[in-house]
Amino acid sequence: MSREENLLKSLELLKEIGVKNDSIRTIKHIPAQEGQYCEYPSDVHPALADALKEKGFLKLYTHQHLSWRLLKEGKNIVVVTPTASGKTLCYNLPVLEAILKNPSSRAIYLFPTKALSQDQKTELNETIKHLGGEIRIFTYDGDTPQDARKAIRARGHIILTNPDMLHAGILPHHTKWIKLFENLKYIVIDELHNYRGIFGSHLANILRRLKRIAKFYGAQPQFILCTATIANPLEMAEKMTEEPVSLVDNNGAPRGEKYFIFFNPPVVNKFLGIRRSYVNESRRIASLFIKNDLQTIVFAKSRLITEILVTYLKDDIEKTIKNQGLIRGYRGGYLPLKRREIEKGLREGTIKGVISTNALELGIDIGSLDIAVLAGYPGTISSTWQRAGRAGRKTGKSAAVLVASSAPIDQFIINHPDYFFSKNPEKALINPDNLSILVSHIECATFELPFAEKDKFGGVEIGEILKFLEEEKLVHHSKDKWFWTSDAYPADGVSLRSISSDNFVVVDTSKKTRVIAEVDFSSALTTLHPKAIYMCEGDQYFVDKLDYDQRKAYVKKTDVDYFTDAIDYTKIKILDVFDKKSLEKCSISHGEVHVATQVVGFKKIKFYTSENVGAGDLSLPENEMHTTAYWLTIPSEFFHSLPFSTEQKINGLFGVAYLLHHVSPLFMMCDLHDVGVSIGDNTTGKSVPPRNIPSKITQGEERPDFTDIAFEPNIFIFDNFPGGIGLSPSLFELEKELLKHCQKTITACPCKEGCPSCVGPTKESGKQAKQAALEILISLI
């Protein structure tokens, strides 16, 4: 049987399973698309055009041709096309051309991961081999040996690096890189959609520092940015670079025929809304394809699920000695050599199934696979298309299967395929002017070059910040300039993945004492509290002690059948209202808030069945921050007129809050943990403790009186980062759209009383939570 016949046969088998259980929500057939081509422009260096033709690139795609033309006009560009559409040539062509014409030209390529840098280096080396010229490319990252670094600084034409290395290893030592900065012609930023939230806000500030140093050495580089499909590529690119940018989105690459299947695991308990495990269903579907000799990639949402699926699929497929090694796992934490070996096995077809975290979502070359199985919705439409695009060749058929978990966002997507397949609604959001992030990069920038009196940083006036740093004895003002005077090396104190670099260290004391991980400050209290089960690479550790002042957690290896989930209590106070809108029956606002969160207990959750098998009380220090929030105010008259008892109305409120929290990431490219949720009383400003909090914890606190006619609930969704990163204003702009999506999610859910897919598990949401929440939403809309 041919590969295509195998594929169609497997899809028929999957259809039979789906029809029996009513699990298939949609099968979308995406027809093949012809490529659109242009001849090489006449001003491309003949040797370069010949080298590319030898490699098989006989003509350019239309988007590659347009990129070339815009760059020749001196513009900055952002290229927005799908996976495997030849984005790499959009930047390699102009960069290699510039070096051929003027051998002193230099370029910096920025990739989010080391693996991607290695991959692009291989691609470039092949082209240069055909060129036969003397163009030198080097990867400069944490793995680069010290003795090689000097040669790279002097001789490298193209430096492939990542934001971390640029921030801490290149910019602070710019005097050693004079050749690079004097002749810097292009800055390439690939996978732009990855730089959102905190990471992106840091990168925007690193680019401010890079432009400042380039200007000091007399260079004015052009930017070439590439991204997967997002709703605001141009706005994102211009905010990132603070330069005008031209959009290239006319994809000319051919694509093969594809089937995209939405699979919802069947309900096994209608009353509680419990579905079959999405992990087991993903295993079953992947096994079916692999047994039919189709090369398959399975994407899991976490390292733990990756390891579980590797174990399951090895049991299914590797039953005999000759089948050993057909199934492999792939994720961060594996050694580079092991990862290269797996990538090679995939390209050569010796590996039949690979289970990966998002590590293989980026453009690493693993050849063209037949099938992509997504175990759980990745969280954004962009990521879903990136992962699905891993299966498919330029010609021939391929398939992708999205298996939904029972999270509300998964259930919304799986039950509303038209929403998914129409326009991409997600915005990538950054806030380079977040004060905590900005101050740390102004420290780094002063260390690199002194600031003159009237200097700005990007577009920001920084006089006040420099005066503050002078009070802290970090900078000194002399002869109209600000100089760095501290002994500290500021770049070391900045973590690009979080706002505070105040991390907790995890110390394993099982045998000999060793550090096994680092956890950022904001996650430490919920994952490293005493008696927590901390997981690292599939191993479980019991937390004996948390030393808050020394920022250390002491753990011992263990083996239990449960994990822990922290219960926290968040109190929120409104400090300032930036904007407010009335939506007929309710109002929405956004502004600045003070958030105090305390971890007060934890639940023990059993693996596989997710049942609650125990709990414990805790009392950890409060974590306080100022941030931005969006809130929905439900008028007191309307709330008290609802046809439910007081307790049921409150249950309904918590149901709406649960939905808002889980549905809001649909509109922002962010993780569920990037936003927090809390309920308060608009009249008194008091916070409402969550239902699952033991009453002894809130003893002595004044709680709102729910029966009081003046009680007016506020539901807050806040940015989970000090200072905020721009998530809440984007919710405010949605007006009723957000509430409508919550209503659609609850209406589509088949459970009777509430479940994890709508208003939260029945035990936690309380009686009539689903009915009350639905009534609130319908009336407000």
Side-chain angles (χ1 to χ4, degrees), residues 379-443:
T380 67
I381 291 176
S382 274
S383 280
T384 309
W385 280 114
Q386 285 277 97
R387 293 180 189 190
R390 276 304 182 183
R393 295 166 160 76
K394 290 199 167 64
T395 58
K397 297 179 171 63
S398 67
V401 185
L402 171 62
V403 184
S405 77
S406 52
I409 193 165
D410 287 45
Q411 289 301 314
F412 179 85
I413 290 288
I414 215 84
N415 288 308
H416 297 90
D418 331 344
Y419 177 84
F420 178 87
F421 289 108
S422 57
K423 183 133 175 59
N424 191 329
E426 297 156 342
K427 288 185 170 188
L429 300 164
I430 57 170
N431 176 14
D433 302 339
N434 170 301
L435 199 57
S436 315
I437 294 174
L438 185 66
V439 169
S440 56
H441 285 282
I442 287 170
E443 289 178 14

Side-chain angles (χ1 to χ4, degrees), residues 385-586:
W385 280 114
Q386 285 277 97
R387 293 180 189 190
R390 276 304 182 183
R393 295 166 160 76
K394 290 199 167 64
T395 58
K397 297 179 171 63
S398 67
V401 185
L402 171 62
V403 184
S405 77
S406 52
I409 193 165
D410 287 45
Q411 289 301 314
F412 179 85
I413 290 288
I414 215 84
N415 288 308
H416 297 90
D418 331 344
Y419 177 84
F420 178 87
F421 289 108
S422 57
K423 183 133 175 59
N424 191 329
E426 297 156 342
K427 288 185 170 188
L429 300 164
I430 57 170
N431 176 14
D433 302 339
N434 170 301
L435 199 57
S436 315
I437 294 174
L438 185 66
V439 169
S440 56
H441 285 282
I442 287 170
E443 289 178 14
C444 297
T446 319
F447 175 89
E448 287 150 10
L449 291 170
F451 276 103
E453 196 65 63
K454 289 276 184 284
D455 276 0
K456 285 182 171 181
F457 185 57
V460 185
E461 300 281 355
I462 55 172
E464 292 299 312
I465 294 174
L466 289 167
K467 281 176 194 156
F468 162 75
L469 294 177
E470 187 177 33
E471 284 165 25
E472 296 287 307
K473 309 241 181 319
L474 294 173
V475 304
H476 175 66
H477 189 243
S478 163
K479 295 186 182 163
D480 295 340
K481 282 196 172 171
W482 298 90
F483 296 90
W484 182 257
T485 52
S486 163
D487 292 339
Y489 179 65
D492 270 356
V494 183
S495 155
L496 302 188
R497 307 300 192 288
S498 63
I499 282 191
S500 139
S501 57
D502 210 1
N503 289 350
F504 279 72
V505 178
V506 184
V507 183
D508 176 15
T509 58
S510 308
K511 289 179 185 160
K512 55 175 190 218
T513 306
R514 62 189 185 114
V515 172
I516 54 166
E518 250 186 67
V519 175
D520 62 273
F521 182 83
S522 53
S523 317
L525 295 175
T526 53
T527 54
L528 294 174
H529 57 77
K531 299 182 191 160
I533 299 296
Y534 176 72
M535 289 177 175
C536 180
E537 295 207 24
D539 293 329
Q540 298 169 320
Y541 296 89
F542 178 83
V543 180
D544 271 334
K545 180 182 166 207
L546 177 69
D547 185 339
Y548 187 81
D549 298 327
Q550 293 296 313
R551 302 288 193 258
K552 282 182 182 165
Y554 296 94
V555 302
K556 277 201 178 94
K557 211 160 184 181
T558 185
D559 187 14
V560 290
D561 64 349
Y562 67 87
F563 58 94
T564 50
D565 189 14
I567 301 169
D568 53 18
Y569 176 21
T570 299
K571 290 180 261 191
I572 202 161
K573 266 199 199 88
I574 299 170
L575 301 175
D576 189 9
V577 181
F578 301 153
D579 205 348
K580 185 175 178 175
K581 279 181 196 163
S582 174
L583 304 180
E584 295 157 46
K585 294 206 178 159
C586 61

Side-chain angles (χ1 to χ4, degrees), residues 104-123:
S104 62
S105 295
R106 297 288 187 267
I108 293 175
Y109 283 20
L110 274 186
F111 298 104
T113 64
K114 288 182 196 170
L116 205 52
S117 310
Q118 289 296 347
D119 203 58
Q120 293 293 343
K121 186 182 174 194
T122 313
E123 166 76 20

Side-chain angles (χ1 to χ4, degrees), residues 71-72 79 136 139 169 178 272 280 318 379 388 395 421 541 567 624 699 723:
L71 289 165
K72 279 287 166 196
V79 182
R136 292 176 296 273
T139 319
I178 293 176
L272 296 175
N280 287 332
E318 297 184 358
T395 58
F421 289 108
Y541 296 89
I567 301 169
E624 299 185 50
Q699 259 171 2

Side-chain angles (χ1 to χ4, degrees), residues 416 740-750 758 770 774 778:
H416 297 90
K740 284 179 185 161
H741 278 74
C742 290
Q743 188 210 326
K744 282 181 183 171
T745 306
I746 202 169
T747 314
C749 187
C758 55
K770 183 173 184 178
L774 189 57
I778 288 171

Side-chain angles (χ1 to χ4, degrees), residues 13-131:
L13 288 170
L14 182 61
K15 237 194 257 180
E16 279 171 33
I17 296 170
V19 167
K20 215 186 313 177
N21 301 325
D22 188 28
S23 297
I24 291 184
R25 284 284 166 268
T26 190
I27 298 178
K28 177 84 170 172
H29 175 242
I30 301 163
Q33 184 177 295
E34 293 285 312
Q36 295 166 306
Y37 302 94
C38 297
E39 295 297 338
Y40 280 90
S42 54
D43 49 352
V44 172
H45 197 291
L48 181 56
D50 291 344
L52 289 166
K53 284 175 186 170
E54 271 177 50
K55 269 193 77 189
F57 301 120
L58 301 176
K59 292 181 176 181
L60 294 181
Y61 297 138
T62 44
H63 61 278
Q64 293 167 339
H65 191 274
L66 178 61
S67 302
W68 170 268
R69 218 178 58 233
L70 291 168
L71 289 165
K72 279 287 166 196
E73 290 166 13
K75 296 190 165 87
N76 304 297
I77 62 166
V78 58
V79 182
V80 191
T81 57
T83 315
S85 54
K87 283 196 272 272
T88 311
L89 204 55
C90 293
Y91 51 80
N92 280 348
L93 189 65
V95 170
L96 293 172
E97 161 79 19
I99 298 166
L100 284 173
K101 286 204 170 147
N102 176 3
S104 62
S105 295
R106 297 288 187 267
I108 293 175
Y109 283 20
L110 274 186
F111 298 104
T113 64
K114 288 182 196 170
L116 205 52
S117 310
Q118 289 296 347
D119 203 58
Q120 293 293 343
K121 186 182 174 194
T122 313
E123 166 76 20
L124 266 168
N125 279 333
E126 279 177 24
T127 309
I128 288 163
K129 213 183 336 182
H130 288 287
L131 258 177

Side-chain angles (χ1 to χ4, degrees), residues 213-448:
I213 290 169
K215 188 178 174 190
F216 175 77
Y217 287 107
Q220 200 179 356
Q222 280 172 267
F223 285 94
I224 306 174
L225 305 105
C226 297
T227 173
T229 317
I230 50 176
N232 59 337
L234 201 58
E235 176 201 351
M236 170 82 166
E238 291 186 339
K239 203 166 185 179
M240 187 64 83
T241 59
E242 294 180 319
E243 301 278 347
V245 177
S246 300
L247 179 67
V248 176
D249 60 356
N250 58 329
N251 176 28
R255 65 155 189 246
E257 197 178 337
K258 186 184 226 94
Y259 294 91
F260 206 137
I261 295 133
F262 277 23
F263 190 95
N264 205 7
V267 175
V268 287
N269 179 329
K270 200 140 195 184
F271 187 75
L272 296 175
I274 294 170
R275 294 182 177 278
R276 230 189 247 160
S277 154
Y278 79 97
V279 177
N280 287 332
E281 293 296 283
S282 302
R283 162 202 190 167
R284 197 154 69 123
I285 292 166
S287 277
L288 178 128
F289 288 120
I290 297 168
K291 282 173 183 167
N292 277 314
D293 202 30
L294 294 164
Q295 214 182 359
T296 302
I297 182 166
V298 183
F299 281 105
K301 286 166 84 168
S302 69
R303 292 179 173 192
L304 177 71
I305 302 291
T306 303
E307 296 296 349
I308 290 172
L309 278 167
V310 170
T311 314
Y312 286 179
L313 285 166
K314 274 185 179 295
D315 287 350
D316 290 350
I317 306 296
E318 297 184 358
K319 288 182 175 145
T320 61
I321 294 286
K322 77 173 194 347
N323 290 337
Q324 297 293 305
L326 287 181
I327 304 294
R328 301 293 294 266
Y330 186 105
R331 59 175 177 75
Y334 285 6
L335 295 173
L337 280 174
K338 193 178 200 175
R339 293 213 294 249
R340 295 300 90 77
E341 178 204 322
I342 297 167
E343 290 159 22
K344 186 167 177 263
L346 284 166
R347 282 196 295 272
E348 292 170 356
T350 54
I351 294 174
K352 278 293 167 213
V354 65
I355 299 90
S356 171
T357 54
N358 60 353
L360 278 178
E361 180 183 313
L362 304 173
I364 297 163
D365 179 18
I366 50 170
S368 303
L369 311 179
D370 301 313
I371 308 288
V373 176
L374 282 59
Y377 176 61
T380 67
I381 291 176
S382 274
S383 280
T384 309
W385 280 114
Q386 285 277 97
R387 293 180 189 190
R390 276 304 182 183
R393 295 166 160 76
K394 290 199 167 64
T395 58
K397 297 179 171 63
S398 67
V401 185
L402 171 62
V403 184
S405 77
S406 52
I409 193 165
D410 287 45
Q411 289 301 314
F412 179 85
I413 290 288
I414 215 84
N415 288 308
H416 297 90
D418 331 344
Y419 177 84
F420 178 87
F421 289 108
S422 57
K423 183 133 175 59
N424 191 329
E426 297 156 342
K427 288 185 170 188
L429 300 164
I430 57 170
N431 176 14
D433 302 339
N434 170 301
L435 199 57
S436 315
I437 294 174
L438 185 66
V439 169
S440 56
H441 285 282
I442 287 170
E443 289 178 14
C444 297
T446 319
F447 175 89
E448 287 150 10

